Amino acid sequence: MIETRLATSSDAEAISALLTANAGDRGGMLLGQWPREAIETRIARGQSIVIATGDEGRLLGALLTSEKGFGEAPPVQAMLKAWPGGPDAYVYGPVCVAPNARGLGVLDALYAMLQATFPGREAILFIREDNPRSLNAHLRLGMREVARYDFDGKVFVVLSNRPDPK
C-alpha cells in the first residue's frame, strides 16, 4: 500500500539518501547535490516535498517543489527563461522513485497528492531529452511539452501540466 504525505524535517535524511543515490555523479539522472541540510532548509522555508511510503514507513519516492524565486539553480533559471509559466506556476522537481518501487504507481500517487496540495496551479519541470523513461512517465500523467533549451551541453524538455499552455 502506497501512502503519501507532505514531508517533515524528520524525513530529510531518507529523502537526501534517495536523491543522492540517483544523482548524475552516481549514474542517475538527477542534477545537483542533495545533502540532508538542503532538504531540511527547503522544508523549513515552506517548500513542499511530497513523499510516498510503503510498508513500515519505507520511503518509496519523493517529489520536491519550490516557488519560483526560491534558490533557483542554473538549470532551473534556464528553464524559467525558456518557459516561465503562469503567474502562479511553481517548479516541480526533482522527483525520484526508489529503484525497487518503480512501475508500482508511486509517481501517480505522488502527483495526485501534489495536485491536491496545489489545486489549479501550473507545475513546470524539466527533464533531460535523453531520459525517455521520465519523459514518457510525465506525458502519461497528462503533462505536455512547452519548450526546450540547452544547458551545459545537454538538451532539456520543459513540461507543464496546464491543460492548454500558451
Side-chain angles (χ1 to χ4, degrees), residues 10-63:
S10 65
D11 299 308
E13 186 67 40
I15 294 167
S16 172
L18 176 64
L19 296 177
T20 299
N22 290 278
D25 62 355
R26 297 196 181 189
M29 297 298 277
L30 295 182
L31 298 178
Q33 303 298 311
W34 300 100
R36 178 185 46 80
E37 297 80 13
I39 302 299
E40 288 173 340
T41 297
R42 291 175 81 88
I43 293 168
R45 293 191 179 161
Q47 306 306 305
S48 297
I49 301 175
V50 177
I51 61 169
T53 58
D55 298 335
E56 300 174 12
R58 183 175 53 95
L59 184 65
L60 302 176
L63 196 168

Side-chain angles (χ1 to χ4, degrees), residues 4-5 8 11 20 35 41 43 57 76 82 92-93 100 129 138 141-142 146 158 163-164 166:
T4 57
R5 64 178 171 81
T8 65
D11 299 308
T20 299
T41 297
I43 293 168
V76 176
Y92 166 119
N100 62 353
E129 181 183 55
H138 285 88
L141 291 174
V146 293
V158 182
D164 187 19
K166 290 188 177 166

